[in-house]
Structures are given as structure tokens and as C-alpha cells.
């Protein structure tokens, strides 16, 4: 474990150094040019509901449904040029109906958000973000502490049309893949169509006007958590175990934007699979597919 932590820290610092050096030339070439207006306050609220489906592992444990609620607030502070300090708080919670399986009925995280954004107009061109906090069932202690690190940068392949996103995410608590590379393409052939070929929300978006967007695509949601101590649980190796929870969704929806700074995203579709992966204990529980509904509110000022 110590070697893994050391490798993640070294990797993150190496990536930060490379990221900083690559941006230095861009910042110096801009000189004293004053950046466009940048949104300083960011608010996101999301709720979703997945209908019940069979939870199983070598047999059925009964139907289970799932509810997700999340809230985040962040504030940007100008550091100089196009660089901003990004500070905020993030809360995410999953609630599950009870079954005969030894899986949690809730998973939640509360974390500070500390990062640096490189802004191009009001769009993020590159960022470094750390989210230290507690990722737990219900016990907010040192065993459930984690500090996921995410780095990303967008490269312009064709101005106003084609962009490449590359990045990296590392989590000490995640069991199956502690370090995940991230890459994707953003293609805007014209003013009405946009293709976002990147996780966690790959989408094709059609925008007939400034107020309405219609989308079809997928979503990957979930997280890594530490379950509570429970001496009565069976099998016993799930007592205080680490779990990776994930949902894979496909669907569509619409986005209404009454103004440039506010949007409401309403959608739904089919959750292909939900999964509780106790990777370090070697146990995995899966739920069959089921319909889902979601709503998201975003505001920036």
C-alpha cells in the first residue's frame, strides 16, 4: 500500500510539472492581455432514480432500486493572467433499498475541492483538482479518507471545431484501477451539433436555438468508498471493506437554458448495469438493467 501511495504521489507531481511547463509558453505568449469575463461561482445539483432490478451473485438476493443526490459549489479566485484558484465543496450520496445481500444501503462522500483552472474565455483549457474528504457508508474516520486527484487539458486540433481532451485520475481508495488515464474528442461540425466523445458523459447534442438542447448518449457514475465496520456481516471479509460502486447508463434528454448562466437538464433511459465491486475482498454483486430518470441544475455567475 505504501508503494502504491508513493507511486501515485510521484505520478501526480510529475504530471503537474509537465502541465505547468506546457502552459507557461501559452501564458507568456498572451502577455498582459486581459482575459474575458470568467464565471466565479459554480453550482451543480443532480438527482436520479434507478428502478428496481434483481441483485445477484451466484443466485438472486431480491430486487433493489437506487437513488442518487449530489450537490457542489465552487468559487474561482484570480491568481494572475488566465490562472484561477478553484475552491469548493462536493457532496454525493447513493441510497439503496434493502436486499438479502451484504451490500450497503447507502454510500456517501463529502469533500473539499482544491484546484487550479487555466481559463480560455469562460471555458476551462486545463485544470488540476484534488478532492480531500471522506468516502464512506456512514463512518467519517481515517479509514474512509481519500484525496482523488484529477488533471486534464484540452488541445485545439481545429479551431472552433475539433478538440482533444487528455487527463489522469488517481484515487488511493479505488480498488480495481487506482490510476485511470482519460482521453476523448470534442467535435463541433457546426453551430447546431456537438459530439462529446469522452467519459463520464459521452453525448451527441443538437441545439436548434440558444435555449434548447437535445441529447443522446451515456453516463458512468459511482465512486469508491469504505464500508462501515460490522462484525455480524457475512462473509466476514466484507467487514469495513473497500467497495467500488458503478452505474452504466444510456439514454437521452433535453436541456433548457433560460439564460447563458443557468441550465436544467432532464433525461432518462436505461441503466445497463449497477455493480458493487469489493475488489480487494474478491467479491462482486451485480444488478440487472432497469429504467432510470435524472434531473440536473447548473448555474454559474
Amino acid at each position: 500500500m505504501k508503494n502504491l501511495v508513493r507511486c501515485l504521489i510521484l505520478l501526480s507531481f510529475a504530471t503537474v510539472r509537465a502541465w505547468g511547463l506546457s502552459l507557461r509558453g501559452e501564458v507568456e505568449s498572451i502577455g498582459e492581455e486581459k482575459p474575458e469575463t470568467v464565471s466565479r461561482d459554480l453550482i451543480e445539483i443532480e438527482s436520479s432514480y434507478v428502478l428496481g432490478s434483481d441483485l445477484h451473485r451466484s443466485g438472486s438476493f431480491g430486487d433493489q432500486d437506487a437513488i442518487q443526490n449530489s450537490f457542489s459549489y465552487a468559487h474561482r479566485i484570480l491568481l494572475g493572467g488566465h490562472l484561477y484558484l478553484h475552491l469548493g465543496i462536493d457532496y454525493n450520496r447513493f441510497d439503496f433499498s434493502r436486499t438479502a445481500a451484504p451490500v450497503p444501503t447507502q454510500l456517501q462522500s463529502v469533500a473539499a475541492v482544491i484546484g487550479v483552472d487555466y481559463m480560455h474565455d469562460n471555458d476551462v483549457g486545463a485544470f488540476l483538482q484534488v478532492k480531500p474528504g471522506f468516502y464512506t457508508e456512514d463512518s467519517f474516520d481515517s479509514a474512509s479518507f481519500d484525496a482523488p486527484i484529477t488533471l486534464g487539458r484540452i488541445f485545439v486540433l481545429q479551431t472552433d471545431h475539433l478538440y482533444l481532451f487528455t487527463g489522469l485520475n488517481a484515487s488511493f481508495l479505488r480498488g480495481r484501477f487506482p490510476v485511470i488515464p482519460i482521453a476523448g474528442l470534442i467535435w463541433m461540425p457546426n453551430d447546431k451539433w456537438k459530439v462529446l466523445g469522452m467519459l463520464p458523459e459521452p453525448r451527441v447534442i443538437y441545439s436548434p436555438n440558444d435555449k434548447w438542447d437535445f441529447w443522446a448518449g451515456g453516463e458512468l457514475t459511482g465512486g469508491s468508498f469504505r464500508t462501515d465496520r460490522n462484525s455480524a456481516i457475512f462473509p466476514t471479509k466484507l467487514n469495513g471493506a473497500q467497495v467500488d460502486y458503478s452505474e452504466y447508463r444510456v439514454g437521452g434528454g433535453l436541456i433548457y437554458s433560460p439564460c447563458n448562466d443557468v441550465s436544467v437538464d432532464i433525461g432518462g433511459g436505461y441503466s445497463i448495469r449497477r455493480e458493487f465491486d469489493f475488489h480487494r475482498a474478491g467479491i462482486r454483486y451485480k444488478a440487472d438493467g432497469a429504467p432510470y430518470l435524472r434531473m440536473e441544475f447548473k448555474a454559474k455567475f
Side-chain angles (χ1 to χ4, degrees):
M1 181 64 182
K2 290 183 179 179
N3 289 335
L4 173 61
V5 172
R6 188 179 298 113
C7 288
L8 291 176
I9 293 173
L10 290 175
L11 179 59
S12 64
F13 275 106
T15 309
V16 171
R17 185 175 186 275
W19 177 76
L21 291 173
S22 66
L23 286 181
R24 184 182 302 169
E26 296 183 24
V27 175
E28 290 177 350
S29 66
I30 293 173
E32 298 301 322
E33 178 186 349
K34 185 178 180 179
E36 299 292 332
T37 301
V38 171
S39 298
R40 300 296 186 97
D41 295 285
L42 310 172
I43 300 172
E44 293 187 18
I45 303 172
E46 181 179 356
S47 292
S48 66
Y49 174 63
V50 183
L51 277 68
S53 62
D54 184 55
L55 183 68
H56 54 86
R57 176 181 180 266
S58 302
S60 174
F61 290 91
D63 280 0
Q64 183 189 72
D65 57 10
I67 298 174
Q68 178 190 8
N69 290 289
S70 65
F71 168 82
S72 67
Y73 168 76
H75 179 72
R76 291 191 179 113
I77 301 171
L78 180 63
L79 296 177
H82 291 247
L83 291 176
Y84 289 78
L85 179 64
H86 184 124
L87 299 176
I89 187 166
D90 181 273
Y91 180 74
N92 193 21
R93 180 184 176 106
F94 297 90
D95 288 280
F96 312 100
S97 57
R98 291 186 180 275
T99 67
V103 298
T105 57
Q106 66 185 40
L107 292 169
Q108 58 185 320
S109 65
V110 57
V113 181
I114 305 170
V116 177
D117 296 338
Y118 175 81
M119 304 299 297
H120 178 70
D121 295 336
N122 201 26
D123 296 319
V124 179
F127 68 92
L128 163 66
Q129 188 177 96
V130 183
K131 297 174 69 173
F134 299 96
Y135 300 76
T136 181
E137 183 178 352
D138 204 30
S139 297
F140 295 85
D141 54 23
S142 59
S144 64
F145 180 81
D146 195 7
I149 302 168
T150 306
L151 306 104
R153 184 184 175 190
I154 293 179
F155 296 87
V156 180
L157 301 182
Q158 185 179 0
T159 303
D160 296 330
H161 292 290
L162 187 62
Y163 304 86
L164 171 66
F165 175 82
T166 60
L168 178 76
N169 176 267
S171 171
F172 307 114
L173 193 57
R174 189 161 54 226
R176 187 164 291 275
F177 301 107
V179 181
I180 300 177
I182 308 170
L185 289 173
I186 302 170
W187 180 41
M188 297 182 289
N190 53 53
D191 292 338
K192 294 187 179 297
W193 289 95
K194 182 184 297 183
V195 179
L196 305 178
M198 52 192 290
L199 293 175
E201 290 186 356
R203 286 184 173 186
V204 177
I205 302 173
Y206 172 66
S207 306
N209 53 55
D210 293 338
K211 293 187 181 297
W212 293 97
D213 299 307
F214 299 90
W215 61 268
E219 182 182 9
L220 169 62
T221 187
S224 299
F225 306 87
R226 176 74 64 184
T227 59
D228 292 354
R229 286 287 179 182
N230 180 3
S231 58
I233 199 169
F234 182 83
T236 56
K237 57 184 175 180
L238 297 185
N239 181 9
Q242 175 275 341
V243 62
D244 297 324
Y245 174 73
S246 58
E247 293 184 21
Y248 304 88
R249 303 171 176 174
V250 294
L254 57 88
I255 303 173
Y256 174 61
S257 305
C259 60
N260 291 334
D261 299 325
V262 176
S263 67
V264 179
D265 184 342
I266 300 175
Y270 197 74
S271 176
I272 300 173
R273 189 178 71 185
R274 296 188 301 106
E275 183 176 282
F276 297 86
D277 184 4
F278 298 89
H279 176 69
R280 296 170 188 170
I283 296 177
R284 186 186 301 186
Y285 296 87
K286 299 179 181 179
D288 293 337
Y292 81 91
L293 298 171
R294 70 184 293 274
M295 182 174 68
E296 183 179 36
F297 171 81
K298 291 184 178 181
K300 54 184 181 180
F301 304 99

